[in-house]
Amino acid sequence: MNTSLRSPLIYTLFVMPALILFVMFFLYPIGSSLYYSLTSWNGVSAEPRFVGLSNYVKALTDERFWISTRNNGFFIGFSVLIQVPIIVLFSLLIANVKRLKGLYKTAVFLPSIMSTAVIGILWGFIYEPNIGLLNKMLHVLGIDPIYWLSDNRFAMLSILVTNAWQWTGFYIVMVLAAILAIPRDLDEAAAIDGATAVQRAMRITLPLIRPIISVVIMLSIAGAMKAADIVIVMTKGGPAGSTEVLATYMIKYAITNFKYGYGNTIAVLIFALTLVLTVVYQLLVARRGEKVEY
């Protein structure tokens, strides 16, 4: 038995199924996208026409591409600078709840299991200019109705808030699990020494959950780069392309306009940007907080 386990053939047989799936569903699609990104093809004709790097030149000189990239940057910035602090704050609050902790966890997690289409329609009613809940509240304060989804000034912010509302609960559960895994002895010892709740949170809890916060930030960055469904449901990239993101920009060209080659170019650029952002974050930030000792 021990001799057979040392055989390279046995290891190969165990690894082969996962390797085949990895090649089929990861390497092959990437290679296929790279190939078609160098062609002009409508997705229907028999032979794509090779055009070299012209698709990339077109993308990098297209104003709509850079507007979409900027909007993805808004997603990242909102997630990292606003959503993550809210996630940590609510996780700390729920962790210190004495009763009905399970109810609070379920309540915050519920939006994450709902369909994005349902979320978009629900918040569409909230943002509705005439009968929407948000404008009704503003009317009480004497503020004129705001066209949240059709005004360039508010459309992107409205989508960012909706997206954050949907996914905040998912990340709260992750951070909360890390907080509850911290030995209570540390917190109790600090309390006996006279540390306040805020001091214990800042000097004990936050340093110990730094690795999971890094994971949340990295997932937020990756999620922001592939955001599409919430934009499609709520604004379809409007008004006037002000809420267009890279994924919806790609979909419009590849599927709606039958420019499959150019659509694959955008897909490759999305992959490259996401890879660069995650690698840079791992090198500059995440590795510093990987090891935590209790």
Side-chain angles (χ1 to χ4, degrees), residues 1-259:
M1 181 67 179
N2 292 334
T3 304
S4 63
L5 288 177
R6 295 194 189 100
S7 171
L9 178 61
I10 299 298
Y11 285 107
T12 303
L13 291 175
F14 276 111
V15 171
M16 190 59 67
L19 185 61
I20 291 173
L21 292 175
F22 180 73
V23 171
M24 288 176 58
F25 296 106
F26 186 76
L27 294 183
Y28 175 76
I30 291 177
S32 176
S33 292
L34 283 170
Y35 168 73
Y36 286 116
S37 70
L38 302 174
T39 67
S40 176
W41 189 39
N42 59 10
V44 179
S45 59
E47 292 294 332
R49 180 170 59 88
F50 182 78
V51 294
L53 297 175
S54 63
N55 284 336
Y56 290 93
V57 174
K58 177 183 177 182
L60 296 176
T61 55
D62 186 357
E63 183 182 2
R64 290 185 61 189
F65 172 81
W66 292 109
I67 291 174
S68 302
T69 304
R70 180 200 64 187
N71 289 338
N72 278 100
F74 287 154
F75 267 93
I76 294 173
F78 192 90
S79 298
V80 174
L81 300 178
I82 298 178
Q83 186 178 355
V84 170
I86 291 174
I87 289 167
V88 174
L89 176 62
F90 274 83
S91 300
L92 291 170
L93 293 175
I94 295 175
N96 288 285
V97 169
K98 301 301 182 183
R99 296 182 179 179
L100 302 177
K101 185 176 296 185
L103 175 63
Y104 291 118
K105 288 194 290 185
T106 302
V108 298
F109 188 72
L110 189 60
S112 303
I113 63 175
M114 295 173 64
S115 166
T116 302
V118 174
I119 298 290
I121 293 172
L122 172 64
W123 278 84
F125 282 114
I126 294 175
Y127 291 134
E128 211 282 329
N130 298 314
I131 62 172
L133 175 63
L134 195 52
N135 276 345
K136 288 291 186 183
M137 294 171 62
L138 294 178
H139 178 72
V140 174
L141 300 175
I143 301 174
D144 293 334
I146 296 175
Y147 292 82
W148 296 99
L149 298 178
S150 56
D151 190 325
N152 292 351
R153 297 172 298 173
F154 303 106
M156 195 68 222
L157 177 62
S158 302
I159 291 176
L160 293 176
V161 170
T162 304
N163 184 72
W165 183 82
Q166 180 180 8
W167 294 111
T168 293
F170 173 77
Y171 295 127
I172 284 176
V173 172
M174 292 177 59
V175 176
L176 187 59
I179 293 175
L180 296 178
I182 298 173
R184 294 185 60 85
D185 297 345
L186 297 175
D187 193 70
E188 291 173 355
I192 292 173
D193 289 338
T196 64
V198 174
Q199 290 174 330
R200 297 198 301 272
M202 296 297 296
R203 299 186 181 184
I204 297 177
T205 305
L206 288 181
L208 292 178
I209 64 171
R210 191 166 51 194
I212 194 65
I213 294 176
S214 295
V215 171
V216 168
I217 293 175
M218 192 168 63
L219 291 176
S220 298
I221 293 173
M225 289 303 298
K226 65 180 182 180
D229 45 5
I230 192 66
V231 176
I232 293 173
V233 172
M234 297 192 72
T235 63
K236 297 181 176 62
S242 62
T243 60
E244 194 90 82
V245 291
L246 287 171
T248 58
Y249 178 69
M250 174 194 69
I251 291 169
K252 284 184 178 180
Y253 274 96
I255 298 176
T256 307
N257 297 334
F258 295 98
K259 295 184 178 180

